[in-house]
Amino acid sequence: MAEFVGNESTTHGVDLAEEYGRAELIQNPPTRRPSAVGAAAAAGAFVVVAVAAAIVARPLHDDRVAIRFVRRHQFDWLTDLARGYSAVVGPLTVVVLAAVGALLLAAHDRSARRPIAMIAGPWGAVAVSAIVKWIADRPRPPVGWQLGGPETTPAFPSTHVAGLTAMVLVTVLLVTAAHSRARWISYAIATCVVVAMAAARVYLCMTWASDAVGGLLLGVATGLGTVWVVDRMTDGRRASTMP
């Protein structure tokens, strides 16, 4: 009898351990941690660059180096290409594309996880960028240097780069499978798209190089953070409805 009770108790304990482990895995999936770490790292780096841009009234050393270089190497065809890319894939386009993507995902999925992340990431990046611009109040390069303007609104961070980075990053994370070949190829394409936008904005003398870097960091932090938060909320809701 004692042996039977002992086995039953042991079996019950194993079941509880397995159930606890399953719930813990649902609430804290291993695949979510890199996104959280990446978002925190990007956010921390963005804060450092933002503080530097807000405190230092003049352009940073690398900003001056970059702007001198592009002003010495300006070509009509490249200027037209940069202008077109900057105008077509601007913040308004990113906001609209994110909304369209969210509608398509909502029509395809039975859950709101991907649509919410798709719209929250880019929209959040654009909104945060506008707030930080108002706080930092960093002047743009002189109007006489600008090839795509003139623009006189604050420069830091680059909303063009921030919104586009968040949109392409969220799209890659939501549409491609983790650790798949398609995801790595998508990462490479997304990197080219974002770097091209950053280069175009600096080439046109619309932003300083550090503004583009700040926009990139903000977009990465917002994109990764949004997907992580939405996944955690979804996993927590699933765990609470489990019998």
Side-chain angles (χ1 to χ4, degrees):
M1 181 68 178
E3 182 179 357
F4 173 77
V5 173
N7 291 340
E8 183 180 17
S9 176
T10 303
T11 302
H12 183 61
V14 171
D15 291 342
L16 286 176
E18 290 179 352
E19 187 66 26
Y20 176 82
R22 189 178 302 110
E24 181 68 16
L25 183 62
I26 291 174
Q27 295 178 8
N28 300 284
T31 55
R32 305 291 186 257
R33 293 175 186 170
S35 295
V37 173
F46 172 73
V47 170
V48 171
V49 178
V51 170
I55 293 178
V56 180
R58 62 185 183 280
L60 304 179
H61 175 267
D62 292 341
D63 292 329
R64 297 194 298 271
V65 172
I67 211 75
R68 282 197 297 264
F69 177 83
V70 298
R71 294 197 70 205
R72 292 192 192 118
H73 301 82
Q74 291 176 339
F75 306 95
D76 291 341
W77 66 271
L78 193 54
T79 299
D80 292 339
L81 186 62
R83 279 177 177 168
Y85 188 44
S86 176
V88 172
V89 197
L92 179 59
T93 302
V94 166
V95 168
V96 173
L97 288 178
V100 172
L103 290 175
L104 293 176
L105 291 173
H108 179 272
D109 298 352
R110 293 184 177 180
S111 73
R113 183 185 72 87
R114 293 204 300 173
I116 291 175
M118 184 71 251
I119 202 168
W123 285 27
V126 172
V128 173
S129 176
I131 295 173
V132 176
K133 279 179 181 290
W134 176 75
I135 296 174
D137 195 24
R138 187 189 200 188
R140 291 182 183 272
V143 173
W145 296 0
Q146 297 180 19
L147 302 178
E151 292 183 7
T152 57
T153 55
F156 184 90
S158 172
T159 307
H160 281 70
V161 178
L164 183 60
T165 301
M167 186 182 72
V168 296
L169 180 57
V170 169
T171 302
V172 170
L173 292 173
L174 295 181
V175 174
T176 62
H179 307 299
S180 66
R181 184 178 181 183
R183 171 163 290 190
W184 292 113
I185 294 175
S186 298
Y187 273 141
I189 296 173
T191 300
C192 293
V193 168
V194 171
V195 170
M197 177 57 74
R201 296 297 290 173
V202 175
Y203 182 83
L204 295 173
C205 298
M206 306 305 296
T207 60
W208 304 104
S210 55
D211 300 332
V213 172
L216 174 64
L217 293 172
L218 176 59
V220 171
T222 307
L224 291 177
T226 298
V227 173
W228 184 78
V229 169
V230 172
D231 280 345
R232 291 285 292 184
M233 292 174 59
T234 304
D235 293 333
R237 192 177 299 111
R238 288 175 181 171
S240 64
T241 57
M242 287 181 64

